[in-house]
Amino acid sequence: MMRPAVFFDRDGVLNEDDGYAFDPAKIRWVQGAQQAVKAVNDAGYFAFVVTNQSGIARGFFEERHVRNLHDWMSCELAVVGAHIDAFEFCPHHPDGLIERYRILCNCRKPQPGMITALLERYPVDINASFMIGDKQSDLAAAQAAGIAAHLFDGSNLHTFLAPLLTACSHGPPHRSPSHRGDAGK
């Protein structure tokens, strides 16, 4: 059965973007983030995370560190009765120091590869789904995958998200204009 999905960027949307986050001891949740994920779960949507993690290509940390952080986030979310259905991350960067990750790929946002991989694995209702990101590259990836995109303003994530869930249950989602951007991490 098809279900809508919310695609969250990670750094700057779910957790504060302090630059190349990988240590759970240093992670600070964005205000309302855990409640936002729970609201997505309670509304019957899939909850996905799609995140560029070029710190791997740059040699700052390894894939296992990212997986460990995602496991920690899952445990933290479980405390409030919330969950992420899948985490996707891109370890690549064309200027990376680690040769095997120094590539141009289709998963690094603004490319849609992480989103399209999830769309292939899960029965997602694309027309009722949307992305929440804090950079133009997040919005561009969503739009390239054919889903709506909303630029998170850095406020309380639950407060930001709640009317989007309501809007999607009463008709097709609308596309928010974007006004800032960069290539992401």
Side-chain angles (χ1 to χ4, degrees):
M1 184 166 151
M2 302 291 276
R3 290 169 47 197
V6 176
F7 296 81
F8 293 99
D9 175 46
R10 195 189 78 187
D11 302 332
V13 175
L14 292 177
N15 57 275
E16 298 290 337
D17 190 351
D18 295 328
Y20 303 106
F22 72 93
D23 181 354
K26 295 180 181 176
I27 294 297
R28 294 175 295 121
W29 290 96
V30 164
Q31 185 178 5
Q34 293 165 304
Q35 297 77 13
V37 174
K38 184 167 181 6
V40 167
N41 299 152
D42 291 349
Y45 286 58
F46 288 113
F48 298 131
V49 172
V50 290
T51 178
N52 286 348
Q53 292 299 312
S54 72
I56 296 166
R58 297 174 194 276
F60 297 156
F61 47 86
E62 298 176 2
E63 286 190 52
R64 67 183 172 88
H65 295 112
V66 174
R67 288 189 184 95
N68 180 55
L69 176 57
H70 292 165
D71 289 345
W72 176 86
M73 292 177 89
S74 293
C75 290
E76 290 284 303
L77 288 166
V79 171
V80 299
H83 70 274
I84 297 294
D85 291 288
F87 289 87
E88 290 286 321
F89 65 91
C90 173
H92 309 116
H93 194 281
D95 299 326
L97 299 176
I98 309 299
E99 185 176 352
R100 70 178 179 209
Y101 299 117
R102 188 175 48 236
I103 63 171
L104 284 173
C105 62
N106 74 343
C107 59
R108 181 175 169 71
K109 295 178 288 182
Q111 298 300 315
M114 288 186 283
I115 296 170
T116 57
L118 290 164
L119 294 175
E120 290 171 5
R121 291 198 327 259
Y122 291 86
V124 174
D125 178 351
I126 294 171
N127 294 322
S129 299
F130 59 93
M131 170 88 188
I132 297 178
D134 66 326
K135 295 177 178 66
Q136 179 58 40
S137 58
D138 300 319
L139 307 186
Q143 291 164 349
I147 63 172
H150 302 277
L151 186 67
F152 179 52
D153 60 10
S155 63
N156 182 301
L157 185 58
H158 182 257
T159 302
F160 180 87
L161 176 74
L164 299 176
L165 291 174
T166 302
C168 288
S169 66
H170 294 98
H174 61 281
R175 297 188 188 275
S176 292
S178 57
H179 63 273
R180 72 172 200 205
D182 66 24
K185 283 198 177 129

